[in-house]
Amino acid sequence: MSEGNIVFRKTLDERTTSRGPADPAATVVPMRMGTAGVGLLVNDHREATRILSDVETYGSAGELMATVFDEPAESHPDSMSDEMVFAVNQTDGEEHRRVRRALRRVIDTRVRDVSDQLIQDVQHSIERALTLGRLDAVASIGAPIADSVMSRLLGLDAHLVSALRTAVYQGYPVRELDATLVDWVRDRRAHPADDLVSDLMAELPSLNDRQVAANTRLLALSGVEVLAALITNGILCLAQDPKTQSLVRDDETLLPDLVHEVQRYASPIARGIYRMTKEPSVIGGYAVPAGTLLIIGVDVCNRDTSAFPDAHRFDLTRGRDFEHLTFGRGRHSCLGIPVTRLIAAQALRAFLSGTTSFGLAVEPSALRFHDTMVMNGLAELPIWVECAN
Ligand code: HEM
């Protein structure tokens, strides 16, 4: 469908070309992960799918990942208790089931309650952005949409949102952020508000403040901020593909296919899913001992040529009959899929119907992504737009 080559993140292209028949070993790569030692990076779609589906052999990697991303406790003698606390995606078994069930209930209820307002916010953000003529889609579209979801859905204020962004884009450690979040949660517990985090505390009062804070961080960063990156990644693809722009402008029923293909081709998640082997196992031909950290190379798996024909092509005609790994899979799969699809489709619909054409205002080689291995999120996206009226 698209005629040219749609440029996405250069480092992803480099990582995908080192994978594949020319270098089969690159499908499973030993990788040093700080204090967690050597982990295995899994770039193979079939192996990754098998790992994510087999919860008996491959468990969550909570403690191992905490040692990679969090600051050593001794550097913060005054900080909170050093007992580790995990978000839902870092737990297994009954604890995971209990928190996941509660989160599913509060997310679904809240999304239903605020979806009309969210859609209106998206529409307003796009209308405001389109008055600019030339704009940075990250600052003028992605950030305001993320702000709206953080505030309407989660109840986070501007100060917290800014602290969260600083932590994720200027790199971990996250202890200071967590202390700020715990203070905020404590306050919310004393004074519940009309938001998802207050709902979660009411639904599961046994979760302590630090556990609620850990889950809030997950929802805000791995959820809302990634949702915004998905939207700007979609605009990046479309800005280079006028043919797909006009096809979707002329036929909005193609929007779900468009969103699905953006999720695959321009995944906002890079190396963002982790597991740990619970028992010895074989992965991509390697004998792997128990206790090994596994890193799923989500964006590379999504370009696996043995799973997707013409995998390096951004192609609307793929439909939706394929399984990318952007939302994970199996027992820990994403609970934000419906709200993500709703908001992303609404944003791209509003953007396409408000323009007759748009394109990149810089050379693709000048595009800058945030320097994090966990996600693919643009630092800025300069574009020009021609408005519909
Ligand atoms: C483009 C947007 C999003 C992407 C790409 C995404 C991706 C993911 C991925 C890959 C996982 C699996 C993690 C794992 O297996 O370890 C996950 C889990 C999760 N996501 Fe999302 N997410 C998005 C948006 C959201 C939103 C908006 C919410 C909430 C409102 C959300 C809530 C969750 C929760 C609670 C989990 C943990 C589920 C569990 O461990 O049982 N996500 N997400």
Side-chain angles (χ1 to χ4, degrees):
M1 182 63 56
S2 60
E3 283 161 338
N5 178 26
I6 304 296
V7 174
F8 184 50
R9 191 176 186 176
K10 209 167 117 242
T11 52
L12 171 58
D13 292 340
E14 287 160 6
R15 286 185 281 126
T16 48
T17 47
S18 69
R19 180 226 172 274
D23 182 8
T27 58
V28 179
V29 189
M31 182 177 167
R32 180 148 283 287
M33 288 292 285
T35 46
V38 175
L40 265 195
L41 171 63
V42 181
N43 281 335
D44 182 272
H45 186 277
R46 205 169 44 148
E47 280 295 68
T49 303
R50 182 180 68 78
I51 289 165
L52 296 178
S53 309
D54 179 357
V55 291
E56 302 309 321
T57 314
Y58 308 103
S60 69
E63 292 195 18
L64 280 176
M65 289 319 294
T67 66
V68 173
F69 284 131
D70 289 358
E71 213 171 353
E74 52 274 21
S75 63
H76 280 268
D78 301 330
S79 66
M80 297 166 294
S81 149
D82 289 327
E83 188 199 328
M84 285 188 181
V85 164
F86 299 115
V88 63
N89 63 323
Q90 298 168 312
T91 59
D92 290 315
E94 186 45 38
E95 190 192 351
H96 171 252
R97 264 191 295 280
R98 193 173 63 98
V99 181
R100 182 175 168 96
R101 213 180 300 127
L103 271 168
R104 183 193 288 284
R105 257 199 300 269
V106 296
I107 291 173
D108 289 352
T109 308
R110 239 332 113 180
V111 168
R112 209 181 42 231
D113 290 351
V114 299
S115 60
D116 286 350
Q117 290 160 305
L118 289 175
I119 288 173
Q120 270 180 23
D121 289 352
V122 169
Q123 187 69 34
H124 290 152
S125 299
I126 303 270
E127 281 168 11
R128 256 195 315 274
L130 291 182
T131 60
L132 299 172
R134 191 185 157 112
L135 59 120
D136 169 10
V138 172
S140 300
I141 296 175
I145 290 177
D147 289 352
S148 143
V149 183
M150 297 251 201
S151 133
R152 289 211 193 269
L153 197 64
L154 305 184
L156 302 183
D157 59 30
H159 165 68
L160 265 178
V161 172
S162 147
L164 284 156
R165 287 206 180 118
T166 308
V168 71
Y169 295 133
Q170 296 179 14
Y172 295 89
V174 293
R175 272 179 176 256
E176 267 173 42
L177 168 68
D178 283 350
T180 313
L181 272 174
V182 170
D183 286 345
W184 179 80
V185 167
R186 197 169 291 135
D187 184 63
R188 269 294 193 273
R189 199 183 289 276
H191 311 284
D194 195 17
D195 59 48
L196 193 154
V197 178
S198 302
D199 292 354
L200 177 63
M201 288 190 269
E203 181 79 26
L204 212 54
S206 60
L207 283 183
N208 67 34
D209 292 345
R210 291 179 63 210
Q211 289 168 318
V212 176
N215 283 295
T216 305
R217 164 149 67 101
L218 169 78
L219 295 171
L221 295 182
S222 315
V224 179
E225 206 54 21
V226 175
L227 192 170
L230 173 69
I231 293 168
T232 42
N233 291 354
I235 294 176
L236 168 61
C237 294
L238 288 170
Q240 299 171 77
D241 190 352
K243 195 166 172 188
T244 299
Q245 280 184 33
S246 47
L247 273 169
V248 185
R249 258 187 213 105
D250 293 347
D251 180 2
E252 286 195 350
T253 64
L254 293 172
L255 270 165
D257 295 5
L258 172 66
V259 172
H260 205 62
E261 177 64 345
V262 172
Q263 283 160 359
R264 182 194 74 84
Y265 184 86
S267 170
I269 299 278
R271 296 170 178 176
I273 302 182
Y274 310 95
R275 292 293 185 271
M276 190 181 74
T277 49
K278 290 194 198 170
E279 51 191 67
S281 123
V282 176
I283 303 175
Y286 282 88
V288 181
T292 304
L293 176 67
L294 306 177
I295 306 116
I296 308 295
V298 174
D299 52 357
V300 178
C301 289
N302 285 352
R303 302 267 189 109
D304 184 338
T305 48
S306 58
F308 305 103
D310 217 357
H312 297 285
R313 194 175 174 81
F314 177 69
D315 184 357
L316 181 67
T317 64
R318 247 175 245 284
R320 267 170 289 158
D321 195 16
F322 61 88
E323 295 202 23
H324 59 66
L325 294 181
T326 299
F327 291 118
R329 189 171 227 277
R331 211 168 274 184
H332 284 280
S333 64
C334 180
L335 290 173
I337 297 175
V339 66
T340 297
R341 289 198 179 128
L342 175 79
I343 303 287
Q346 179 62 25
L348 296 179
R349 172 191 291 120
F351 197 74
L352 285 164
S353 67
T355 53
T356 51
S357 67
F358 61 94
L360 287 180
V362 293
E363 285 300 315
S365 58
L367 291 169
R368 274 194 317 112
F369 281 78
H370 287 294
D371 184 20
T372 149
M373 69 163 206
V374 177
M375 67 183 278
N376 294 314
L378 286 151
E380 49 187 28
L381 176 57
I383 53 171
W384 56 263
V385 293
E386 281 177 12
C387 291
N389 43 45

